[in-house]
Amino acid sequence: KQEVTQIPAALSVPEGENLVLNCSFTDSAIYNLQWFRQDPGKGLTSLLLIQSSQREQTSGRLNASLDKSSGRSTLYIAASQPGDSATYLCAVKKTSYDKVIFGPGTSLSVIP
Amino acid sequence: DTGVSQDPRHKITKRGQNVTFRCDPISEHNRLYWYRQTLGQGPEFLTYFQNEAQLEKSRLLSDRFSAERPKGSFSTLEIQRTEQGDSAMYLCASSFPGQGSYNEQFFGPGTRLTVL
């Protein structure tokens, strides 16, 4: 059974810092991995999607890497801003049509 | 707005009452998923439809829960005899297995259920 964990559970950083969020999954046989952002009481916003054949994806100040063999992914946020404060969720799929299995999330707070 | 929509956005009910939520997927998306998210946790899969066929149900979907997608378009999720443990955010997602889409699931804003 696939299990997804995220470390740390919560993170507080001063504005401007670069930071890394970590995600681990137990079954390396994944179709893709996705990072989401969730603001309090809101739905999910997709940030980056990495197919199993890819190593990383970049969007603006965000960079996500995938090491499928070791079951790890990292989300790098450069020059953090208070508007980045949210919960970041990592999620994997076993096949293209399968359900998404989520981690518990990392709650990020960027202090002005 | 061409995204996934859910109605209502918030629902407060008393224990023992029945509630029904609706999800409208992105037009032409043939797959529709329901997830439940409790406070401080990631979403957990409940059930999934391909067109009108319900293809998979999680063990989380007790017999008090029923989901339908009668015409292969919108879907409803009904909870009978609600319990306080049903309080959660219910998220709907849809996807389309088109070439290059990777069958990416697009999520709606969710329905927040509070059972008093």
Side-chain angles (χ1 to χ4, degrees):
Chain A
K1 177 189 172 187
Q2 178 74 272
E3 292 185 359
V4 181
T5 55
Q6 292 186 246
I7 295 174
L11 182 62
S12 183
V13 300
E15 181 177 2
E17 271 203 8
N18 302 325
L19 59 99
V20 174
L21 307 182
N22 296 290
C23 170
S24 297
F25 46 95
T26 54
D27 186 351
S28 62
I30 62 169
Y31 175 74
N32 64 26
L33 181 143
Q34 199 164 358
W35 284 92
F36 292 88
R37 169 185 172 138
Q38 187 173 35
D39 293 294
K42 305 294 185 182
L44 305 178
T45 300
S46 177
L47 298 174
L48 291 165
L49 185 151
I50 311 176
Q51 289 299 111
S52 61
S53 59
Q54 298 173 326
R55 297 284 295 187
E56 66 176 353
Q57 285 285 343
T58 298
S59 176
R61 294 183 293 108
L62 305 180
N63 175 276
S65 68
L66 173 64
D67 184 344
K68 200 173 73 162
S69 61
S70 68
R72 295 180 180 179
S73 175
T74 61
L75 178 66
Y76 175 82
I77 303 177
S80 59
Q81 303 171 357
D84 294 331
S85 298
T87 295
Y88 291 81
L89 294 157
C90 169
V92 297
K93 285 171 63 174
K94 188 176 180 69
T95 65
S96 67
Y97 54 82
D98 201 7
K99 56 189 172 289
V100 178
I101 298 175
F102 288 86
T106 293
S107 177
L108 173 64
S109 179
V110 181
I111 310 301
Chain B
D1 188 347
T2 57
V4 178
S5 61
Q6 293 187 244
D7 183 70
R9 296 290 305 276
H10 304 274
K11 178 71 176 178
I12 299 174
T13 190
K14 293 182 179 180
R15 188 177 54 184
Q17 298 295 305
N18 299 341
V19 295
T20 300
F21 311 140
R22 176 178 171 129
C23 170
D24 285 89
I26 294 171
S27 179
E28 297 182 354
H29 277 198
N30 66 338
R31 293 181 177 137
L32 188 148
Y33 304 77
W34 285 99
Y35 295 84
R36 181 175 72 182
Q37 185 179 25
T38 53
L39 203 60
Q41 300 297 318
E44 293 178 288
F45 169 76
L46 291 178
T47 189
Y48 140 62
F49 291 85
Q50 180 168 310
N51 300 313
E52 64 276 7
Q54 189 173 17
L55 297 187
E56 186 176 352
K57 293 194 290 186
S58 162
R59 58 179 174 77
L60 293 176
L61 211 69
S62 75
D63 53 10
R64 295 186 298 107
F65 288 69
S66 63
E68 295 182 343
R69 196 182 182 198
K71 297 182 180 180
S73 56
F74 73 90
S75 176
T76 58
L77 178 67
E78 181 184 15
I79 308 175
Q80 296 182 329
R81 306 181 302 281
T82 53
E83 302 173 355
Q84 288 184 327
D86 297 331
S87 295
M89 174 80 89
Y90 290 83
L91 293 161
C92 175
S94 70
S95 70
F96 176 71
Q99 186 176 4
S101 75
Y102 304 120
N103 209 15
E104 181 178 356
Q105 293 180 26
F106 294 85
F107 284 80
T111 293
R112 168 74 64 186
L113 173 66
T114 301
V115 181
L116 302 176

PDB file of all heavy atoms in Angstrom, chain A residues 1 8 16 32 35 37 40 45-46 50 53 55 61-62 67-68 70 72 74-75 82 86 90 95 98 104 108 110:
ATOM      1  N   LYS A   1       0.842  -1.194   0.000  1.00  0.00           N
ATOM      2  CA  LYS A   1       0.000   0.000   0.000  1.00  0.00           C
ATOM      3  C   LYS A   1       0.877   1.244   0.000  1.00  0.00           C
ATOM      4  O   LYS A   1       1.780   1.368   0.808  1.00  0.00           O
ATOM      5  CB  LYS A   1      -0.892  -0.020   1.245  1.00  0.00           C
ATOM      6  CG  LYS A   1      -1.770   1.210   1.401  1.00  0.00           C
ATOM      7  CD  LYS A   1      -2.460   1.217   2.746  1.00  0.00           C
ATOM      8  CE  LYS A   1      -3.173   2.548   2.960  1.00  0.00           C
ATOM      9  NZ  LYS A   1      -3.714   2.671   4.326  1.00  0.00           N
ATOM     10  N   PRO A   8       9.125  18.996   6.824  1.00  0.00           N
ATOM     11  CA  PRO A   8       8.526  18.957   8.159  1.00  0.00           C
ATOM     12  C   PRO A   8       7.008  19.102   8.098  1.00  0.00           C
ATOM     13  O   PRO A   8       6.459  19.417   7.046  1.00  0.00           O
ATOM     14  CB  PRO A   8       9.163  20.177   8.839  1.00  0.00           C
ATOM     15  CG  PRO A   8       9.346  21.150   7.712  1.00  0.00           C
ATOM     16  CD  PRO A   8       9.688  20.318   6.503  1.00  0.00           C
ATOM     17  N   GLY A  16      12.085  36.119   2.314  1.00  0.00           N
ATOM     18  CA  GLY A  16      13.307  36.194   1.522  1.00  0.00           C
ATOM     19  C   GLY A  16      14.150  34.931   1.546  1.00  0.00           C
ATOM     20  O   GLY A  16      15.024  34.747   0.692  1.00  0.00           O
ATOM     21  N   ASN A  32       2.967   9.525 -11.730  1.00  0.00           N
ATOM     22  CA  ASN A  32       3.450  10.890 -11.602  1.00  0.00           C
ATOM     23  C   ASN A  32       3.365  11.354 -10.160  1.00  0.00           C
ATOM     24  O   ASN A  32       2.811  10.667  -9.300  1.00  0.00           O
ATOM     25  CB  ASN A  32       2.719  11.864 -12.535  1.00  0.00           C
ATOM     26  CG  ASN A  32       1.230  12.003 -12.233  1.00  0.00           C
ATOM     27  OD1 ASN A  32       0.788  11.796 -11.105  1.00  0.00           O
ATOM     28  ND2 ASN A  32       0.445  12.366 -13.238  1.00  0.00           N
ATOM     29  N   TRP A  35       2.644  18.404  -6.768  1.00  0.00           N
ATOM     30  CA  TRP A  35       2.641  19.280  -5.610  1.00  0.00           C
ATOM     31  C   TRP A  35       1.455  20.228  -5.725  1.00  0.00           C
ATOM     32  O   TRP A  35       1.221  20.835  -6.776  1.00  0.00           O
ATOM     33  CB  TRP A  35       3.933  20.089  -5.528  1.00  0.00           C
ATOM     34  CG  TRP A  35       5.112  19.299  -5.034  1.00  0.00           C
ATOM     35  CD1 TRP A  35       6.028  18.618  -5.784  1.00  0.00           C
ATOM     36  CD2 TRP A  35       5.505  19.124  -3.667  1.00  0.00           C
ATOM     37  NE1 TRP A  35       6.961  18.022  -4.964  1.00  0.00           N
ATOM     38  CE2 TRP A  35       6.667  18.323  -3.666  1.00  0.00           C
ATOM     39  CE3 TRP A  35       4.992  19.566  -2.441  1.00  0.00           C
ATOM     40  CZ2 TRP A  35       7.326  17.955  -2.491  1.00  0.00           C
ATOM     41  CZ3 TRP A  35       5.645  19.206  -1.278  1.00  0.00           C
ATOM     42  CH2 TRP A  35       6.802  18.398  -1.304  1.00  0.00           C
ATOM     43  N   ARG A  37      -0.908  23.365  -3.560  1.00  0.00           N
ATOM     44  CA  ARG A  37      -0.984  24.376  -2.511  1.00  0.00           C
ATOM     45  C   ARG A  37      -2.432  24.452  -2.055  1.00  0.00           C
ATOM     46  O   ARG A  37      -3.361  24.374  -2.864  1.00  0.00           O
ATOM     47  CB  ARG A  37      -0.539  25.725  -3.070  1.00  0.00           C
ATOM     48  CG  ARG A  37      -0.820  26.889  -2.139  1.00  0.00           C
ATOM     49  CD  ARG A  37      -0.484  28.216  -2.760  1.00  0.00           C
ATOM     50  NE  ARG A  37      -0.966  29.287  -1.893  1.00  0.00           N
ATOM     51  CZ  ARG A  37      -0.284  30.388  -1.633  1.00  0.00           C
ATOM     52  NH1 ARG A  37       0.898  30.591  -2.190  1.00  0.00           N
ATOM     53  NH2 ARG A  37      -0.785  31.303  -0.841  1.00  0.00           N
ATOM     54  N   PRO A  40      -6.004  28.123   3.744  1.00  0.00           N
ATOM     55  CA  PRO A  40      -6.931  27.678   4.799  1.00  0.00           C
ATOM     56  C   PRO A  40      -8.381  27.670   4.350  1.00  0.00           C
ATOM     57  O   PRO A  40      -8.885  28.690   3.844  1.00  0.00           O
ATOM     58  CB  PRO A  40      -6.681  28.697   5.918  1.00  0.00           C
ATOM     59  CG  PRO A  40      -5.276  29.142   5.718  1.00  0.00           C
ATOM     60  CD  PRO A  40      -5.077  29.170   4.228  1.00  0.00           C
ATOM     61  N   THR A  45      -4.774  23.898  -5.251  1.00  0.00           N
ATOM     62  CA  THR A  45      -4.219  24.516  -6.452  1.00  0.00           C
ATOM     63  C   THR A  45      -2.994  23.718  -6.873  1.00  0.00           C
ATOM     64  O   THR A  45      -2.053  23.568  -6.091  1.00  0.00           O
ATOM     65  CB  THR A  45      -3.810  25.979  -6.188  1.00  0.00           C
ATOM     66  OG1 THR A  45      -4.960  26.723  -5.782  1.00  0.00           O
ATOM     67  CG2 THR A  45      -3.210  26.601  -7.438  1.00  0.00           C
ATOM     68  N   SER A  46      -3.003  23.200  -8.095  1.00  0.00           N
ATOM     69  CA  SER A  46      -1.858  22.441  -8.574  1.00  0.00           C
ATOM     70  C   SER A  46      -0.688  23.380  -8.853  1.00  0.00           C
ATOM     71  O   SER A  46      -0.851  24.405  -9.511  1.00  0.00           O
ATOM     72  CB  SER A  46      -2.233  21.684  -9.850  1.00  0.00           C
ATOM     73  OG  SER A  46      -1.106  20.988 -10.356  1.00  0.00           O
ATOM     74  N   ILE A  50       5.098  16.230 -12.035  1.00  0.00           N
ATOM     75  CA  ILE A  50       6.289  15.581 -12.601  1.00  0.00           C
ATOM     76  C   ILE A  50       5.912  14.167 -13.020  1.00  0.00           C
ATOM     77  O   ILE A  50       5.481  13.355 -12.194  1.00  0.00           O
ATOM     78  CB  ILE A  50       7.439  15.509 -11.579  1.00  0.00           C
ATOM     79  CG1 ILE A  50       7.676  16.859 -10.908  1.00  0.00           C
ATOM     80  CG2 ILE A  50       8.718  15.034 -12.266  1.00  0.00           C
ATOM     81  CD1 ILE A  50       8.746  16.806  -9.814  1.00  0.00           C
ATOM     82  N   SER A  53       8.953   9.742 -15.712  1.00  0.00           N
ATOM     83  CA  SER A  53      10.152   9.741 -16.546  1.00  0.00           C
ATOM     84  C   SER A  53      10.953  11.029 -16.421  1.00  0.00           C
ATOM     85  O   SER A  53      12.044  11.143 -16.979  1.00  0.00           O
ATOM     86  CB  SER A  53       9.759   9.548 -18.013  1.00  0.00           C
ATOM     87  OG  SER A  53       8.887  10.580 -18.419  1.00  0.00           O
ATOM     88  N   ARG A  55      12.762  14.323 -14.168  1.00  0.00           N
ATOM     89  CA  ARG A  55      13.537  14.495 -12.952  1.00  0.00           C
ATOM     90  C   ARG A  55      13.127  15.748 -12.192  1.00  0.00           C
ATOM     91  O   ARG A  55      13.275  15.823 -10.980  1.00  0.00           O
ATOM     92  CB  ARG A  55      15.022  14.593 -13.297  1.00  0.00           C
ATOM     93  CG  ARG A  55      15.596  13.356 -13.929  1.00  0.00           C
ATOM     94  CD  ARG A  55      15.821  12.271 -12.916  1.00  0.00           C
ATOM     95  NE  ARG A  55      16.824  12.617 -11.930  1.00  0.00           N
ATOM     96  CZ  ARG A  55      17.287  11.768 -11.018  1.00  0.00           C
ATOM     97  NH1 ARG A  55      16.826  10.548 -10.975  1.00  0.00           N
ATOM     98  NH2 ARG A  55      18.198  12.154 -10.152  1.00  0.00           N
ATOM     99  N   ARG A  61       9.287  30.756  -9.155  1.00  0.00           N
ATOM    100  CA  ARG A  61      10.210  30.566  -8.017  1.00  0.00           C
ATOM    101  C   ARG A  61      10.164  29.137  -7.460  1.00  0.00           C
ATOM    102  O   ARG A  61      10.829  28.849  -6.470  1.00  0.00           O
ATOM    103  CB  ARG A  61       9.844  31.559  -6.915  1.00  0.00           C
ATOM    104  CG  ARG A  61      10.064  33.021  -7.295  1.00  0.00           C
ATOM    105  CD  ARG A  61       9.745  33.964  -6.128  1.00  0.00           C
ATOM    106  NE  ARG A  61       8.319  33.952  -5.789  1.00  0.00           N
ATOM    107  CZ  ARG A  61       7.817  33.397  -4.689  1.00  0.00           C
ATOM    108  NH1 ARG A  61       8.622  32.807  -3.809  1.00  0.00           N
ATOM    109  NH2 ARG A  61       6.521  33.438  -4.458  1.00  0.00           N
ATOM    110  N   LEU A  62       9.384  28.280  -8.069  1.00  0.00           N
ATOM    111  CA  LEU A  62       9.229  26.921  -7.580  1.00  0.00           C
ATOM    112  C   LEU A  62       9.987  25.934  -8.464  1.00  0.00           C
ATOM    113  O   LEU A  62       9.973  26.045  -9.691  1.00  0.00           O
ATOM    114  CB  LEU A  62       7.756  26.519  -7.573  1.00  0.00           C
ATOM    115  CG  LEU A  62       6.787  27.410  -6.817  1.00  0.00           C
ATOM    116  CD1 LEU A  62       5.373  26.852  -6.937  1.00  0.00           C
ATOM    117  CD2 LEU A  62       7.180  27.573  -5.370  1.00  0.00           C
ATOM    118  N   ASP A  67      13.084  11.819  -7.406  1.00  0.00           N
ATOM    119  CA  ASP A  67      13.998  10.680  -7.447  1.00  0.00           C
ATOM    120  C   ASP A  67      13.142   9.450  -7.183  1.00  0.00           C
ATOM    121  O   ASP A  67      12.922   9.070  -6.024  1.00  0.00           O
ATOM    122  CB  ASP A  67      15.104  10.838  -6.406  1.00  0.00           C
ATOM    123  CG  ASP A  67      16.124   9.706  -6.490  1.00  0.00           C
ATOM    124  OD1 ASP A  67      15.820   8.672  -7.117  1.00  0.00           O
ATOM    125  OD2 ASP A  67      17.218   9.854  -5.933  1.00  0.00           O
ATOM    126  N   LYS A  68      12.650   8.860  -8.265  1.00  0.00           N
ATOM    127  CA  LYS A  68      11.686   7.782  -8.121  1.00  0.00           C
ATOM    128  C   LYS A  68      12.291   6.564  -7.433  1.00  0.00           C
ATOM    129  O   LYS A  68      11.648   5.932  -6.595  1.00  0.00           O
ATOM    130  CB  LYS A  68      11.154   7.394  -9.509  1.00  0.00           C
ATOM    131  CG  LYS A  68       9.844   6.654  -9.471  1.00  0.00           C
ATOM    132  CD  LYS A  68       9.288   6.460 -10.865  1.00  0.00           C
ATOM    133  CE  LYS A  68      10.071   5.410 -11.613  1.00  0.00           C
ATOM    134  NZ  LYS A  68       9.327   4.886 -12.774  1.00  0.00           N
ATOM    135  N   SER A  70      14.493   6.314  -5.144  1.00  0.00           N
ATOM    136  CA  SER A  70      14.624   6.442  -3.690  1.00  0.00           C
ATOM    137  C   SER A  70      13.307   6.834  -3.040  1.00  0.00           C
ATOM    138  O   SER A  70      13.235   6.935  -1.813  1.00  0.00           O
ATOM    139  CB  SER A  70      15.694   7.474  -3.331  1.00  0.00           C
ATOM    140  OG  SER A  70      15.277   8.774  -3.706  1.00  0.00           O
ATOM    141  N   ARG A  72      11.583   9.783  -3.330  1.00  0.00           N
ATOM    142  CA  ARG A  72      11.654  11.119  -2.735  1.00  0.00           C
ATOM    143  C   ARG A  72      11.395  12.213  -3.760  1.00  0.00           C
ATOM    144  O   ARG A  72      11.745  12.087  -4.933  1.00  0.00           O
ATOM    145  CB  ARG A  72      13.019  11.361  -2.102  1.00  0.00           C
ATOM    146  CG  ARG A  72      13.306  10.463  -0.926  1.00  0.00           C
ATOM    147  CD  ARG A  72      14.669  10.742  -0.345  1.00  0.00           C
ATOM    148  NE  ARG A  72      14.944   9.866   0.790  1.00  0.00           N
ATOM    149  CZ  ARG A  72      16.070   9.867   1.479  1.00  0.00           C
ATOM    150  NH1 ARG A  72      17.036  10.718   1.173  1.00  0.00           N
ATOM    151  NH2 ARG A  72      16.239   9.040   2.486  1.00  0.00           N
ATOM    152  N   THR A  74      11.392  16.759  -3.705  1.00  0.00           N
ATOM    153  CA  THR A  74      11.556  17.995  -2.950  1.00  0.00           C
ATOM    154  C   THR A  74      10.913  19.136  -3.713  1.00  0.00           C
ATOM    155  O   THR A  74      10.898  19.144  -4.948  1.00  0.00           O
ATOM    156  CB  THR A  74      13.035  18.339  -2.710  1.00  0.00           C
ATOM    157  OG1 THR A  74      13.686  18.505  -3.971  1.00  0.00           O
ATOM    158  CG2 THR A  74      13.730  17.262  -1.911  1.00  0.00           C
ATOM    159  N   LEU A  75      10.362  20.062  -2.973  1.00  0.00           N
ATOM    160  CA  LEU A  75       9.838  21.312  -3.539  1.00  0.00           C
ATOM    161  C   LEU A  75      10.695  22.437  -3.002  1.00  0.00           C
ATOM    162  O   LEU A  75      10.750  22.658  -1.785  1.00  0.00           O
ATOM    163  CB  LEU A  75       8.377  21.525  -3.162  1.00  0.00           C
ATOM    164  CG  LEU A  75       7.755  22.827  -3.670  1.00  0.00           C
ATOM    165  CD1 LEU A  75       7.674  22.816  -5.209  1.00  0.00           C
ATOM    166  CD2 LEU A  75       6.365  23.052  -3.078  1.00  0.00           C
ATOM    167  N   PRO A  82       5.523  36.445   1.978  1.00  0.00           N
ATOM    168  CA  PRO A  82       4.386  36.166   2.881  1.00  0.00           C
ATOM    169  C   PRO A  82       3.209  35.508   2.152  1.00  0.00           C
ATOM    170  O   PRO A  82       2.510  34.680   2.730  1.00  0.00           O
ATOM    171  CB  PRO A  82       4.025  37.557   3.415  1.00  0.00           C
ATOM    172  CG  PRO A  82       5.324  38.299   3.401  1.00  0.00           C
ATOM    173  CD  PRO A  82       6.035  37.820   2.162  1.00  0.00           C
ATOM    174  N   ALA A  86       0.922  28.907   3.278  1.00  0.00           N
ATOM    175  CA  ALA A  86      -0.144  27.973   2.902  1.00  0.00           C
ATOM    176  C   ALA A  86       0.301  26.579   3.322  1.00  0.00           C
ATOM    177  O   ALA A  86       1.406  26.395   3.836  1.00  0.00           O
ATOM    178  CB  ALA A  86      -0.401  28.000   1.397  1.00  0.00           C
ATOM    179  N   CYS A  90       1.943  17.004  -1.159  1.00  0.00           N
ATOM    180  CA  CYS A  90       2.574  16.151  -2.164  1.00  0.00           C
ATOM    181  C   CYS A  90       1.632  14.990  -2.438  1.00  0.00           C
ATOM    182  O   CYS A  90       0.973  14.496  -1.509  1.00  0.00           O
ATOM    183  CB  CYS A  90       3.913  15.662  -1.598  1.00  0.00           C
ATOM    184  SG  CYS A  90       4.714  14.364  -2.533  1.00  0.00           S
ATOM    185  N   THR A  95      -1.173   4.851 -11.534  1.00  0.00           N
ATOM    186  CA  THR A  95      -1.409   4.765 -12.979  1.00  0.00           C
ATOM    187  C   THR A  95      -2.085   6.054 -13.420  1.00  0.00           C
ATOM    188  O   THR A  95      -2.478   6.871 -12.586  1.00  0.00           O
ATOM    189  CB  THR A  95      -2.310   3.575 -13.342  1.00  0.00           C
ATOM    190  OG1 THR A  95      -3.608   3.805 -12.784  1.00  0.00           O
ATOM    191  CG2 THR A  95      -1.754   2.267 -12.817  1.00  0.00           C
ATOM    192  N   ASP A  98      -5.620   6.341 -11.953  1.00  0.00           N
ATOM    193  CA  ASP A  98      -5.789   5.937 -10.557  1.00  0.00           C
ATOM    194  C   ASP A  98      -6.100   7.136  -9.665  1.00  0.00           C
ATOM    195  O   ASP A  98      -5.924   8.293 -10.055  1.00  0.00           O
ATOM    196  CB  ASP A  98      -4.514   5.255 -10.076  1.00  0.00           C
ATOM    197  CG  ASP A  98      -4.742   4.364  -8.862  1.00  0.00           C
ATOM    198  OD1 ASP A  98      -5.911   4.169  -8.472  1.00  0.00           O
ATOM    199  OD2 ASP A  98      -3.745   3.874  -8.307  1.00  0.00           O
ATOM    200  N   PRO A 104       0.341  14.246   4.213  1.00  0.00           N
ATOM    201  CA  PRO A 104      -0.403  15.050   5.198  1.00  0.00           C
ATOM    202  C   PRO A 104      -0.192  16.551   5.057  1.00  0.00           C
ATOM    203  O   PRO A 104      -0.918  17.342   5.649  1.00  0.00           O
ATOM    204  CB  PRO A 104       0.157  14.551   6.535  1.00  0.00           C
ATOM    205  CG  PRO A 104       1.525  14.071   6.196  1.00  0.00           C
ATOM    206  CD  PRO A 104       1.455  13.520   4.812  1.00  0.00           C
ATOM    207  N   LEU A 108       3.319  25.991   5.830  1.00  0.00           N
ATOM    208  CA  LEU A 108       4.387  26.990   5.703  1.00  0.00           C
ATOM    209  C   LEU A 108       3.894  28.359   6.126  1.00  0.00           C
ATOM    210  O   LEU A 108       2.825  28.804   5.684  1.00  0.00           O
ATOM    211  CB  LEU A 108       4.880  27.053   4.260  1.00  0.00           C
ATOM    212  CG  LEU A 108       5.886  28.154   3.927  1.00  0.00           C
ATOM    213  CD1 LEU A 108       7.190  27.948   4.688  1.00  0.00           C
ATOM    214  CD2 LEU A 108       6.137  28.237   2.425  1.00  0.00           C
ATOM    215  N   VAL A 110       5.455  32.243   6.188  1.00  0.00           N
ATOM    216  CA  VAL A 110       6.543  33.155   5.834  1.00  0.00           C
ATOM    217  C   VAL A 110       6.301  34.471   6.567  1.00  0.00           C
ATOM    218  O   VAL A 110       5.302  35.151   6.318  1.00  0.00           O
ATOM    219  CB  VAL A 110       6.627  33.370   4.316  1.00  0.00           C
ATOM    220  CG1 VAL A 110       7.789  34.313   3.987  1.00  0.00           C
ATOM    221  CG2 VAL A 110       6.783  32.047   3.594  1.00  0.00           C
TER     222      VAL A 110
END
